[in-house]
Amino acid sequence: MGRPDPEEGQLPAPVKPPDGGWGWIVLLGCFVITGFSYAFPKAVSVYFKELMKDFHVGYSDTAWISSIMLAMLYGTGPVCSIMVNQFGCRPVMLIGGLLASAGMILASFTTNIIELYLTAGVLTGLGMALNFQPSLIMLGTYFDKRRPLANGLAAAGSPVFLSSLSPLGQVLLEKFGWRGGFLIMGGLLLNCCTCGAVMRPLDMGMKRKMGKAQDKYEAKEMLPIGGKSEEGISTTDGTKKSKKAKKKAKKGKKLLDFSIFSNRGFIIYTISKFILVLGLFVPPILLVNYAKDTGVPDTEAAFLLSIIGFIDIFARPACGMVAGLKWVRPHVAYLFSFSMLFNGLTDICSARASNYTGLVIFCVFFGISYGMVGALQFEVLMAIVGSQKFSSAIGLVLLIEAFAVLIGPPSAGRLVDALKNYEVIFYLAGSEVVLSALFLGVASYCCLNRGKKELPPENNPSAGGGSDTEEAESDVQEAEEHSSDNHQPAHSTDNAVVVANEEANHVAEEQRGEGGSCPAGDGEVLTQDSCNADQMVERDSF
């Protein structure tokens, strides 16, 4: 019961990110989790037509399924942050995978739309949330210098899964119906448990090193008593300092850190993301039904999402590579603002697309801009708050975005039912995305850049949580130095005693040969050295 020891959790005092190694396996798991989390709510829209016929409901009613999934993905952010800080990433992700799978399996047996909301919406959405957020946290702990590229590659999971889940859902719908499709989708979601199992805590390597150091220390305890006194004193000092560092880490650990709201960059980012989410997910959710209403066959309509996914696959890693460049990374917030502006203008310019060719062109440009937004959104947040506060920051940001998710797509669905016109929806969604881009760019330039010029470098708050990360890394390095020093003083002290004894004996023999008197002039230096040597022998003996 109670909080586990930091060494047993997922988020202890930070270890330096390896930027590779097992991190590539963690990246693969994050790739799969991101794919399911973002693509699944969109891919489910393939079943909406059949659900409307079976349950005799309108499109706005079925659109709530995707909205509830996304709302659970975002709205449970603080709960996920608390669970991760309390129990660690791996157990939370294992539980999330089971919940996501159970939700879709139970949804295949539902008899009304309300039961579908509770199973496919709430339960599956909660399971995906418990996988999505911990996977991003683990990715941030394993990568630092290559973090923009890692975020871009992980974000590419969304288009890869979107381009595959949508056609797969159409095939399952034709062969097994929507109930059989939901049942098979539930089985696929069990792969989230496999991804959670590979999320090995980064500090396990540190625990192994500490175990080896402890074994060496126990071996030295079996040596003769000659060098044990000084070693015992130094070991005691190192133990006291390590305990103090441990207590400091425990004291500074919070289940949910609200101090990030004092960061102006975080406030600007949160407001812009709220406006962005109002319109970002509307076009891909409405696209399939929009194409079907214009006379496009069902298979070709579902293929439009695959086009977006295919373009998105290459856009996200490419944008991550660009964001990782030395001259771009300090200004990644402005690149993020440009990507949002690009996405919003794409929605506005493509609102009048009325044939399949126009929709394909829209999907190409939307895939590029959407991929840029997906690759940069969490990289910008990590750069603002730092890796130590990221677990709390992402939870709070996702909670605020949940309200936008609950407002955006359902409102668009009601407007479609009322106006029977998709053009207005695309104009509205594009305007919201453009507004978020302008707010982020202008606010970042006016508030953050002016703050940097007014404040001295050491008091610059724009560094966000980076300073916390550097302090934590320095604490870890200091602890490592103390642990290594604990095994060295006995040998160094013995060597000093031997050298001092030899010098003292040599000086004493010379003094006896000269009658026991110290020579004057240049000999005063020799006499002083001999006295210091005697004093050092006495101190070492004591």
Side-chain angles (χ1 to χ4, degrees), residues 355-506:
N355 52 42
Y356 190 70
T357 303
L359 291 175
V360 169
I361 295 174
F362 161 74
C363 290
V364 171
F365 285 97
F366 185 86
I368 296 173
S369 59
Y370 191 78
M372 294 176 65
V373 172
L376 296 174
Q377 56 179 342
F378 296 115
E379 170 60 28
V380 173
L381 181 59
M382 289 181 185
I384 291 173
V385 302
S387 60
Q388 289 305 292
K389 295 184 179 181
F390 180 71
S391 61
S392 297
I394 188 175
L396 295 171
V397 167
L398 293 178
L399 174 62
I400 295 172
E401 290 180 13
F403 295 101
V405 170
L406 288 174
I407 296 172
S411 300
R414 289 190 178 278
L415 288 174
V416 168
D417 292 338
L419 302 175
K420 305 298 181 182
N421 186 357
Y422 286 88
E423 182 178 339
V424 177
I425 308 302
F426 277 75
Y427 279 131
L428 181 61
S431 300
E432 290 167 345
V433 177
V434 169
L435 178 61
S436 66
L438 296 177
F439 176 80
L440 178 62
V442 174
S444 298
Y445 179 79
C446 294
C447 298
L448 300 184
N449 282 4
R450 287 183 179 180
K452 289 180 180 179
K453 293 178 181 178
E454 292 174 0
L455 294 174
E458 62 273 13
N459 296 329
N460 188 356
S462 63
S467 59
D468 296 335
T469 306
E470 293 175 359
E471 291 176 2
E473 290 179 354
S474 63
D475 291 340
V476 173
Q477 293 177 356
E478 183 179 354
E480 291 177 352
E481 291 175 359
H482 285 305
S483 62
S484 61
D485 291 343
N486 289 342
H487 307 291
Q488 295 177 0
H491 301 287
S492 59
T493 305
D494 293 340
N495 293 335
V497 171
V498 173
V499 173
N501 286 331
E502 292 178 354
E503 292 180 355
N505 293 334
H506 180 68

Side-chain angles (χ1 to χ4, degrees), residues 64-306:
W64 272 98
I65 299 173
S66 297
S67 297
I68 292 174
M69 280 187 182
L70 291 173
M72 293 301 295
L73 181 66
Y74 290 116
T76 56
V79 177
C80 295
S81 297
I82 293 174
M83 292 183 66
V84 167
N85 291 336
Q86 182 74 16
F87 304 109
C89 290
R90 182 184 286 173
V92 173
M93 292 183 68
L94 292 174
I95 295 173
L98 294 176
L99 290 178
S101 176
M104 290 304 295
I105 293 173
L106 293 175
S108 64
F109 299 99
T110 55
T111 57
N112 57 65
I113 195 69
I114 301 299
E115 293 177 356
L116 205 58
Y117 292 160
L118 296 176
T119 54
V122 175
L123 199 58
T124 300
L126 177 61
M128 289 190 296
L130 294 178
N131 276 273
F132 176 62
Q133 186 173 325
S135 66
L136 291 178
I137 295 172
M138 290 299 297
L139 190 67
T141 59
Y142 270 88
F143 290 92
D144 183 21
K145 294 180 180 179
R146 297 177 179 174
R147 193 180 64 202
L149 176 60
N151 276 317
L153 291 172
S158 175
V160 169
F161 276 67
L162 182 61
S163 61
S164 57
L165 287 179
S166 294
L168 176 62
Q170 190 67 40
V171 172
L172 294 177
L173 180 63
E174 294 174 356
K175 290 189 176 181
F176 305 103
W178 69 267
R179 295 185 184 275
F182 276 19
L183 188 64
I184 295 174
M185 289 288 191
L188 291 176
L189 285 174
L190 284 174
N191 288 291
C192 295
C193 296
T194 304
C195 297
V198 304
M199 299 295 172
R200 186 173 67 193
L202 187 58
D203 63 323
M204 288 182 67
M206 180 66 67
K207 289 172 67 176
R208 293 193 185 100
K209 291 180 181 179
M210 293 174 63
K212 292 180 180 179
Q214 183 67 21
D215 293 340
K216 291 181 180 180
Y217 174 73
E218 291 175 355
K220 285 186 177 183
E221 287 292 320
M222 302 175 64
L223 295 175
I225 303 178
K228 273 192 177 180
S229 59
E230 289 292 332
E231 184 177 0
I233 294 173
S234 60
T235 304
T236 303
D237 294 338
T239 304
K240 288 180 180 179
K241 291 181 180 179
S242 62
K243 286 182 178 180
K244 287 181 180 179
K246 209 171 189 180
K247 289 180 180 179
K248 185 179 179 182
K250 285 185 177 181
K251 186 177 179 180
K253 183 89 168 184
K254 296 179 180 179
L255 292 180
L256 200 60
D257 190 358
F258 291 96
S259 64
I260 54 176
F261 283 105
S262 61
N263 189 330
R264 288 181 295 178
F266 177 75
I267 298 296
I268 295 171
Y269 176 87
T270 303
I271 295 174
S272 64
K273 277 300 296 292
F274 177 83
I275 303 173
L276 171 69
V277 174
L278 286 174
L280 181 65
F281 299 121
V282 171
I285 290 177
L286 298 179
L287 181 61
V288 175
N289 286 304
Y290 174 41
K292 290 179 180 179
D293 289 347
T294 56
V296 177
D298 292 351
T299 305
E300 294 182 4
F303 185 70
L304 291 173
L305 291 179
S306 300

